[in-house]
Amino acid sequence: MRTWHEIRGFPLAIRVLLVNQLGVNTGFYLLIPYLATHLGDDLGMSAAVVGIVLGVRNLSQQGLFLIGGSAADRLGARGVIIAGCAIRTAGFALFALGDGLPVLIAASVLSGVAGALFNPAVRTYLAQEAGERRAEAFALFNVFATTGALIGPLLGSALLLVDFRASALTAAGIFALLTVAQALVLPTRHVPPATGSVTADWREAVGNRAFVAFALAMVGMFTLENQLYLLLPAGARQATGWDGAAGLVFLVGTIAGIAFQLRITRALKGRGTRGRWIATGLVLMGLAFVPPMLVAGTDAPPDGTLSATLRALPVLAGALLLHLGVMVAQPFVMELIPGFGRQALTGTYFGIFYAVSGIAAALGNAVVGLAMDAARRGGDNSAAALLPWACCLAAGLVSAAALSWLQRTGTLPGTRPAPVAVTA
């Protein structure tokens, strides 16, 4: 009830964006997690081709975040959000309408470009509209996002009982509704005329040493957050011998996020600096990989339901701790980003930040994946089994130390609004 009261206290634009994010994640997660299975099992494509299709989608999104951010600054975030949703409608519809590789590549490119457009644009609009209440706005944003991430796979599993085409068309329909709803309801914000070139904007942001240092310090957060999709599900499956255990990793965190995200942000906002809480969240994220070490390397199948449950508990405790760290840190990270530069470049800063996050997530997953392979090759070697978990622990602690150093040296901005450019 308190969360609903909080939502009603925000302007219409933010309420629309919250619903938008619920729909975006619902549509995305009811389709994308099942795409690889559809390509490989239903269409009989090789693992290499499946990797190409999925990689094209990721590359299209991660590689164009900067374009999306600059477009939000110069054309207005509202129009970019609407365009992104419309393009994803077309991309997801193509997944349903064609089975040939050229069509699937086109669908992947469109769905990736769409994400590159509306991800930084939504956060730009939210940051500009929320003003001094950015932290609470981004906390609510996370609540709606995690809710959509829970609804999406459940809906997708049900639709797959029909076929993959039904899932793709449903996802396209959701994005079509979001496109129309935002075009009708999302308020238009005035966009000041640009005073320089796009490349000058990029140079200004990339030349901001404080911002670049902050983005690099947050590499640990990006890497560890992605282990909700790689290391933790694999650990849950290995510990319990049950494929469904991976779903519990998401369920635990989603329930915790819905119940506690806004309360945590409100409680911490007035107690200490943003840097302090971001560093605390990073420490918690790193420590989340300690409990699963208790069952790491467990190859023998569990002896009954009780044994499987006991083995699952350390992994689920780690997942809960990781989600807690994200809940502590992420709203304040999003709140700080606009403070590094001019308000007119908010989208550019978000775009660069998400480009860095994409690169960091890819490299981090590669390192963790190599550590997981080494653990498998090690067999009964307990030290090898601990390697991927130890890598994640180190990533969290190193990022926390870097963030604390930025805080001590006064590199991080305050919570005041970013200065507006003065033109002659």
Side-chain angles (χ1 to χ4, degrees):
M1 185 63 69
R2 186 170 183 176
T3 299
W4 179 248
H5 178 74
E6 188 78 20
I7 293 169
R8 294 181 62 186
F10 278 103
L12 173 63
I14 291 181
R15 299 200 299 270
V16 172
L17 293 176
L18 295 178
V19 175
N20 171 71
Q21 193 60 27
L22 174 68
V24 164
N25 274 19
T26 299
F28 181 86
Y29 284 104
L30 77 83
L31 176 67
I32 295 301
Y34 307 105
L35 180 58
T37 301
H38 169 66
L39 297 176
D41 294 350
D42 299 340
L43 303 184
M45 293 183 171
S46 67
V49 174
V50 172
I52 290 172
V53 174
L54 297 179
V56 164
R57 194 205 68 79
N58 287 329
L59 182 62
S60 300
Q61 180 162 318
Q62 307 293 352
L64 296 177
F65 273 135
L66 185 53
I67 302 296
S70 293
D73 288 336
R74 290 175 171 263
L75 305 177
R78 177 183 180 274
V80 177
I81 294 168
I82 295 170
C85 286
I87 292 172
R88 183 157 282 181
T89 300
F92 281 3
L94 277 180
F95 278 124
L97 300 177
D99 295 337
L101 184 58
V103 175
L104 293 171
I105 292 292
S108 295
V109 170
L110 288 175
S111 62
V113 168
L117 290 176
F118 63 64
N119 275 336
V122 166
R123 287 156 179 81
T124 298
Y125 200 128
L126 196 70
Q128 293 171 341
E129 194 73 19
E132 295 299 317
R133 301 181 66 194
R134 285 177 187 157
E136 291 96 330
F138 279 111
L140 285 170
F141 190 79
N142 285 351
V143 171
F144 277 75
T146 54
T147 303
L150 175 63
I151 296 172
L154 296 176
L155 181 57
S157 297
L159 289 169
L160 284 177
L161 296 176
V162 182
D163 60 13
F164 180 82
R165 196 178 305 273
S167 295
L169 289 175
T170 301
I174 290 174
F175 278 96
L177 289 175
L178 291 175
T179 303
V180 174
Q182 289 170 115
L184 295 176
V185 180
L186 194 61
T188 301
R189 300 183 88 256
H190 173 66
V191 182
T195 57
S197 67
V198 173
T199 54
D201 292 346
W202 294 352
R203 285 196 300 270
E204 179 180 337
V206 174
N208 187 328
R209 294 182 180 179
F211 171 68
V212 172
F214 177 71
L216 293 177
M218 299 311 300
V219 163
M221 187 179 81
F222 309 140
T223 299
L224 299 189
E225 198 171 1
N226 268 266
Q227 300 320 304
L228 289 168
Y229 309 99
L230 179 62
L231 183 57
L232 283 168
R237 287 191 294 265
Q238 182 182 26
T240 64
W242 175 45
D243 287 343
L248 297 178
V249 170
F250 302 104
L251 183 62
V252 164
T254 302
I255 293 174
I258 294 171
F260 301 114
Q261 173 68 85
L262 185 59
R263 296 180 184 181
I264 289 172
T265 302
R266 288 174 61 90
L268 299 181
K269 183 178 179 181
R271 303 177 184 178
T273 63
R274 303 300 187 258
R276 171 187 174 185
W277 294 124
I278 295 171
T280 300
L282 289 167
V283 170
L284 291 174
M285 292 176 72
L287 293 177
F289 295 88
V290 173
M293 291 183 182
L294 299 174
V295 291
T298 304
D299 294 324
D303 184 17
T305 303
L306 178 59
S307 176
T309 301
L310 292 176
R311 288 187 185 184
L313 289 178
V315 182
L316 295 181
L320 182 60
L321 195 57
L322 179 58
H323 278 283
L324 178 61
V326 172
M327 285 189 280
V328 170
Q330 196 173 69
F332 297 124
V333 171
M334 296 295 104
E335 182 188 24
L336 281 185
I337 291 172
F340 281 100
R342 295 187 282 119
Q343 185 177 358
L345 294 186
T346 298
T348 300
Y349 277 87
F350 272 113
I352 293 175
F353 189 80
Y354 274 92
V356 172
S357 76
I359 296 171
L363 294 177
N365 277 350
V367 171
V368 174
L370 290 173
M372 292 171 68
D373 289 339
R376 281 191 288 267
R377 290 193 301 268
D380 295 332
N381 186 335
S382 59
L386 298 179
L387 183 59
W389 307 97
C391 286
C392 292
L393 170 62
L397 297 182
V398 169
S399 274
L403 203 287
S404 296
W405 180 78
L406 294 178
Q407 172 72 26
R408 289 196 304 271
T409 56
T411 304
L412 302 180
T415 57
R416 64 184 182 280
V420 179
V422 177
T423 57

